[in-house]
Amino acid sequence: MRKYINLLLATAAVVGLSACNDYLDKEPQDKLIPENYFTSADNLKAYTLNYYTILPSHSDNAYGLGTFSSDNGTDNQAGRSASSRFAPGEWRVGSGNDNWGFGNIRGLNYFLEYAQPNYDAGNITGAQAQIDQAMGEAHFFLAYTYWAGYQAIGDYPILDGVLPDDKEITLEASKRKPRNQVARYILDHLTEAARLLPEASAYGKNGLTKDCANLFRSRVALFEGTWLKYHKGTALVPGGPGWPGNSADLNGFDIDSEINYFLTEAMASAKLVGDKFVGNLVENTDTPEGMGPGFSELNPYYCMFSADNSGAYDEVLLYRAYSLSQGVVTQMQAQFQKNAGGSGWTRGMVASFLMRNGLPIYAAGSGYDPAWEDQGVTATLQGRDSRIQIFTKTDHSIITYGLDGNSPAEYRMGWMFGGEDLTCCPTGWAVKKGQAYNYAQAQGNLQSTTGSIIFRAAEALLNYMEACVEKNGNVDGTAAGYWAALRNRAKVDADYNKTVAATNMAEEAKGDWGAYSHGALISPLLYNVRRERRNELCAEALRMMDLRRWCALDQMINTPYQIEGIKYWGTVYNDPNSPLAMKTEGGEYIVPTVDANSNESNMSSESASAYVRPYQISQVGGNPVWDGYRFTRAHYLSPIGTLALETASPDKNAATSVIYQNPGWPIYSGQPAESLD
């Protein structure tokens, strides 16, 4: 049996039959004969089912909120530790095969090389629907695997089929292709996936469908279209000044034509999903709690994110299920129900949510009163977009109804730093999106069976809206209908023009990195499309992807940005006589200690800001972001590890590698990025 390409010691395939030794001098470990194996529907199904594990899902991290803390390290959410992406000099080139693994690509190419001829010849036995499902899954997972690598490092090899064990061939195959070609390759596989996958999977919402393929296709197309648009004229696009690729590989590349192509494809794919669901979004009943006594569902929109059976909600296209009896569990509810999982909304995130009359909080006539911030979280959020109200733990939020469903317990804001628990909220704005109410899921830590949503239809509406405005400069009828549906659910005046007219970009730029592209403020119309996306998809692990494709971090190259949380100084939270004062579990008032040079420091200085600055509390042991987040343009892409570069060299020398390193990143391990500015 032919050896599989390992693409220069790529990481081993982690699932199913694709798991084999990665070294070129070793035969694959599976003993199956391809001609015999890929001739039955059951065997095809057994092979592709394993690849569902590559999709994002809640982890069993002891101190996290599953996917709901994946936006930490952005302007939306802050974790207890700052992100090295915003500390130039701290993020360094790895010594291994970092961002250069092709095991899953090899396994999926292997599948298609043997299964496709049998499929075309009609030589696969079993139910046709099951055969089509498996073939569609193979194309989808191949596209997803490419996406994971390409969106991290840009230019990427395109590997068609299983290659022979020949060093020269594998070295040639390792060469990176321009990113737009990779994106087109991904779209082609998703087109085929959408053709083959069913409208409804036999696996329920745990299985891929046409809608999943089309939604994901719109995401990829929007990503590449906007990346090319906003990184145009830089080394981060094919043919740009300083681009390290080979000009012979450009194949007549015209960036404006490519931008138009990808935005057009994004609109087309998103509309296939959006039109099905625009009138069928999950209902938001606007209740302050998602569930009531007896675990009764009060708000379907809220419960969609915290339910075990996420598939019960039409808007959910794909989710991962968990099972206590099968030992497939996490401990995220222990963090949600006992504290805050070490994550919190930022001040900028909260400020981005409109008042219900459709006006920004700073606009005349909005009804917002800045004095509310002195009165606490609940007061600050009054009159606002329903989403920030229901997905934030307020001063009296119920966090569990106990084991019996009738023993309500309220959230107690723990001390944000240096206090009782490392899982306290670092900003004071505690995330509630995803929190369930049954205390059984928080007992013993590994008891949570909350489903992990992978795709939901609302993203398709947002993808279409954005691609439409980016391509045409206006909101067409379809985009207007989509936008109205989202705003109506959020209990915000559906007239987006009212919001656009009242938008002051200088005000929005104070707390929203998405107000910028390539260092310049964008139009109020485009900004409000981005605002809608930010608000609807908060805590769903898409924010950093968006910021990178928008080129929305350049403004921090020369001007540091301070992450802030709730207003603390001069408020009810540091008033010993207030029932909302920060206190220990035993009720003792915690005196704030401000001393940057002491391990006892637990609060940022009042002289610096009345608002909590979680990364300006202590300098003990060094604090590279004390003066704020900074950025360097090389950090839009991740570096390739030194071992991968050396292995892809005829003489094992990173300097002679057929793989070029990303712009600004050195070829040797342990080195930080150099400036591209």
Side-chain angles (χ1 to χ4, degrees), residues 392-459:
T392 303
K393 292 179 182 178
T394 58
D395 299 313
H396 299 290
S397 284
I398 295 174
I399 57 175
T400 176
Y401 284 105
L403 296 174
D404 60 1
N406 291 288
S407 302
E410 290 187 356
Y411 172 63
R412 182 182 64 84
M413 188 183 293
W415 193 241
M416 284 162 280
F417 275 88
E420 308 154 60
D421 194 327
L422 291 177
T423 65
C424 291
C425 180
T427 66
W429 293 106
V431 178
K432 197 178 180 187
K433 193 173 190 178
Q435 179 208 286
Y437 288 83
N438 186 344
Y439 190 66
Q441 292 209 15
Q443 290 195 116
N445 292 328
L446 289 171
Q447 303 290 313
S448 177
T449 51
T450 299
S452 180
I453 298 174
I454 299 168
F455 295 120
R456 68 181 181 99
E459 184 193 345

Side-chain angles (χ1 to χ4, degrees), residues 658-670:
V658 301
I659 305 170
Y660 50 81
Q661 181 61 284
N662 275 326
W665 287 104
I667 60 175
Y668 298 112
S669 63

Side-chain angles (χ1 to χ4, degrees), residues 48-265:
T48 59
L49 276 179
N50 288 293
Y51 284 90
Y52 279 91
T53 60
I54 70 176
L55 299 174
S57 59
H58 302 315
S59 73
D60 59 1
N61 184 287
Y63 301 108
L65 302 178
T67 60
F68 299 106
S69 56
S70 297
D71 282 343
N72 285 352
T74 69
D75 56 341
N76 279 13
Q77 277 175 262
R80 295 189 64 83
S81 299
S83 169
S84 62
R85 188 183 293 270
F86 303 109
E90 295 297 307
W91 188 7
R92 297 170 183 267
V93 176
S95 60
N97 288 315
D98 307 53
N99 299 304
W100 198 255
F102 301 89
N104 286 331
I105 289 176
R106 180 188 59 218
L108 289 159
N109 278 343
Y110 171 60
F111 174 92
L112 289 172
E113 177 152 321
Y114 288 103
Q116 191 70 52
N118 290 332
Y119 180 84
D120 294 340
N123 292 334
I124 303 174
T125 62
Q128 189 62 44
Q130 186 172 307
I131 296 169
D132 288 346
Q133 173 93 34
M135 297 299 293
E137 287 169 342
H139 284 285
F140 181 93
F141 290 131
L142 188 60
Y144 193 91
T145 304
Y146 270 99
W147 156 259
Y150 135 89
Q151 67 90 20
I153 67 171
D155 301 344
Y156 206 71
I158 296 178
L159 314 172
D160 269 327
V162 179
L163 302 184
D165 181 7
D166 182 288
K167 184 175 182 179
E168 290 187 7
I169 293 177
T170 56
L171 286 174
E172 181 64 26
S174 296
K175 293 180 179 179
R176 301 169 69 182
K177 301 297 184 185
R179 58 175 300 127
N180 66 299
Q181 295 177 24
V182 183
R184 280 177 173 262
Y185 183 78
I186 293 171
L187 295 190
D188 287 346
H189 277 285
L190 290 172
T191 297
E192 186 66 3
R195 185 183 72 83
L196 291 163
L197 289 168
E199 293 286 350
S201 172
Y203 318 139
K205 295 290 186 71
N206 298 139
L208 288 165
T209 62
K210 292 184 185 298
D211 288 334
C212 295
N214 285 319
L215 172 59
F216 185 53
R217 193 176 188 278
S218 74
R219 182 190 297 179
V220 175
L222 181 61
F223 181 89
E224 186 62 12
T226 49
W227 182 286
L228 294 176
K229 180 174 182 176
Y230 290 112
H231 289 279
K232 182 179 179 180
T234 76
L236 304 183
V237 298
W243 178 62
N246 187 340
S247 60
D249 293 332
L250 291 175
N251 296 339
F253 173 74
D254 179 81
I255 193 166
D256 293 324
S257 294
E258 289 295 278
I259 292 168
N260 184 71
Y261 166 76
F262 284 112
L263 294 178
T264 300
E265 292 301 304

